[in-house]
Amino acid sequence: MSTINVAMIGQGFMGRSHSNAWGQVAKFFTPPLKPVMHTVFGQPEENPQAFAERWGWQNASTNWEELVKSPEIGLVDVVTPNYMHAPVAKAAIAAGKHVACEKPIAGTLEDARQMVEAAKAANVKTFVWFNYRRCPAVALAHQMVKAGEIGGIRHVRATYLQDWADESVPLLWRFEKKWAGSGAHGDLNAHIIDMTRFVTGSEIVEVAGAIAETFIKERTLPGQAATGGLGDAAAAGGKGPVTVDDTVLFLARFSNGAVASFEAARQATGNQNRNTFEINGTKGALKFDFERMNELQYYDARRPRAVQGWTTIMCTHGGEYPEGHPYVANWWPDAHIIGYEHGFVNQAYDILRVLAGEEPTVPIPDFEDAYQTQRVLEAALLAAERRGAVSLEDVK
Ligand code: SOE
């Protein structure tokens, strides 16, 4: 089997989930190309050597500029905080490497645009880790909409609600615009914008209105240890300003005529990781909630009114639609449920398929595709600022 050497840049939460994916993918799937976990980059204070040994990387590096240029590397996987996505991706592309990048594609629209242009000019393959597309239930929703199971779409309702960010949480990189770009918006709305574009097969053409709010305006400075090297060690213990949103809500229109609402929050008490959508069509409806990620809810409005009701589909039956559910044939027997990390393994499999010239199981976003999501993020922030509607035509 042919192989491809992977370099991973970064080693935080996503570094662990990607390492697990690269390590598992050829055990559960038979990808056309086998990934070799060649080198992981980390800042010296993150101890990349220890990370490499724990997660199965052959080498560790503290110099990403050199690493992405190495002739031994075929694919660069970017799992850094958002502000590093553009410089790392552009350097890797300039060296002719394929690039897989965490979401959101960049901290700013301008960085995202430059990444798209660089990838086009260099003719390399790019991927963005919108992992929730690769939950079997979400991929099934995409397949059902495409097959006409809910008819024409009228309403899209999406929320991504978390509740971890109370006053006790220090000023992590996620709360600073210079590192993160935005707050709950880029972190969470990015996911549900991508998921609803994927499931509906339609583009957002207008943000009709938006609200952004930062409830906690300053937080304790944590120093470097808690921020992967980004904090100011000398200032630890003092307070610093929060420069991103805690929550962003917006209303939008899709090109298929559907109207939509989106809501991202980090202080929505009672919702720990509630990534949801509900899509209402002329013939039926679909509902997903990541806190019950193995299930898809389906309402078939073509059934007689007397027997209409929500059906819970347990998405654990492997096979091709409409007989089965994507990805799960490679995991466990029927009804043996899967978890968060499986979406990343499924994505690693599809990345390897695309690199080998094959079709992915379901569409996978490249930089160009993720740029469309970034435009919507930008339009929502503009709409909040202007307190008015913003056409996507004006955000390019
Ligand atoms: C933190 O808010 C976070 O880990 C995000 O960064 C992920 O993308 C999301 O899937 C879960 O929450």
Side-chain angles (χ1 to χ4, degrees):
M1 189 192 282
S2 314
T3 59
I4 184 162
N5 288 342
V6 181
M8 190 175 77
I9 312 301
Q11 55 173 61
F13 164 29
M14 282 304 109
R16 292 189 292 127
S17 75
H18 289 217
S19 298
N20 178 64
W22 295 122
Q24 296 289 341
V25 63
K27 296 182 178 127
F28 286 91
F29 293 84
T30 311
L33 201 55
K34 196 173 177 209
V36 176
M37 295 171 71
H38 190 283
T39 303
V40 60
F41 159 86
Q43 304 288 353
E45 57 274 27
E46 293 177 304
N47 194 354
Q49 186 57 43
F51 185 95
E53 281 162 24
R54 174 185 280 252
W55 287 98
W57 293 90
Q58 292 174 351
N59 308 285
S61 161
T62 53
N63 185 338
W64 67 263
E65 285 96 336
E66 283 304 313
L67 177 56
V68 302
K69 284 192 285 197
S70 161
E72 298 202 16
I73 299 303
L75 174 69
V76 174
D77 188 14
V78 188
V79 296
T80 60
N82 306 339
Y83 80 103
M84 285 287 290
H85 290 183
V88 176
K90 285 196 288 181
I93 289 168
K97 313 300 180 189
H98 303 300
V99 179
C101 183
E102 252 307 321
K103 50 56 59 176
I105 179 175
T108 66
L109 189 63
E110 177 53 28
D111 276 351
R113 186 186 306 115
Q114 289 179 14
M115 289 163 74
V116 173
E117 280 162 12
K120 262 195 204 151
N123 200 22
V124 296
K125 292 191 173 151
T126 59
F127 310 89
V128 180
W129 291 82
F130 279 112
N131 53 299
Y132 296 110
R133 284 193 186 203
R134 259 139 265 275
C135 291
V138 177
L140 175 67
H142 163 87
Q143 293 173 329
M144 289 178 73
V145 169
K146 207 166 156 196
E149 295 287 4
I150 66 167
I153 297 174
R154 298 285 195 249
H155 291 274
V156 175
R157 214 165 287 112
T159 69
Y160 200 151
L161 308 176
Q162 298 181 337
D163 65 359
W164 56 271
D166 67 12
E167 286 83 354
S168 69
V169 181
L171 193 71
L172 306 172
W173 67 266
R174 291 176 183 278
F175 295 111
E176 294 201 72
K177 195 175 164 73
K178 63 183 175 189
W179 310 127
S182 70
H185 193 47
D187 194 31
L188 305 177
N189 271 334
H191 276 304
I192 54 181
I193 294 166
D194 177 74
M195 265 204 307
T196 54
R197 290 178 57 236
F198 169 62
V199 173
T200 63
S202 184
E203 291 295 345
I204 291 169
V205 291
E206 183 191 44
V207 172
I211 300 178
E213 187 58 66
T214 305
F215 301 110
I216 299 173
K217 311 253 190 271
E218 53 174 27
R219 291 177 181 270
T220 307
L221 293 167
Q224 290 183 314
T227 57
L230 296 179
D232 175 355
K239 290 242 175 187
V242 173
T243 44
V244 297
D245 59 274
D246 283 327
T247 184
V248 172
L249 296 78
F250 67 96
L251 297 177
R253 283 181 201 281
F254 275 88
S255 53
N256 64 6
V259 295
S261 67
F262 293 85
E263 188 177 344
R266 290 173 165 168
Q267 291 160 38
T269 305
N271 300 277
Q272 297 183 2
N273 200 32
R274 179 145 293 137
N275 173 1
T276 75
F277 61 74
E278 177 172 327
I279 300 178
N280 316 105
T282 51
K283 294 183 183 160
L286 291 164
K287 269 200 277 200
F288 172 75
D289 178 348
F290 181 71
E291 290 187 2
R292 302 190 67 88
M293 65 162 286
N294 285 271
E295 297 172 359
L296 182 67
Q297 304 280 329
Y298 175 47
Y299 191 105
D300 187 352
R302 294 168 296 189
R303 304 273 296 147
R305 195 62 165 168
V307 293
Q308 279 177 20
W310 287 98
T311 303
T312 301
I313 305 169
M314 174 95 121
C315 299
T316 51
H317 183 70
E320 297 284 320
Y321 181 81
E323 301 306 324
H325 307 129
Y327 303 109
V328 291
N330 289 78
W331 292 106
W332 312 116
D334 273 12
H336 290 65
I337 58 178
I338 61 166
Y340 177 64
E341 71 275 26
H342 295 77
F344 291 86
V345 185
N346 297 344
Q347 170 136 355
Y349 171 59
D350 278 332
I351 289 174
L352 294 164
R353 286 180 64 113
V354 174
L355 287 174
E358 296 180 8
E359 286 298 315
T361 313
V362 289
I364 188 166
D366 61 6
F367 282 6
E368 175 95 58
D369 188 292
Y371 179 65
Q372 303 312 321
T373 291
Q374 195 85 19
R375 285 175 65 215
V376 179
L377 288 170
E378 183 77 8
L381 288 181
L382 287 173
E385 223 173 86
R386 295 179 191 166
R387 299 186 172 223
V390 173
S391 163
L392 266 286
E393 280 292 307
D394 300 330
V395 184
K396 285 187 175 150

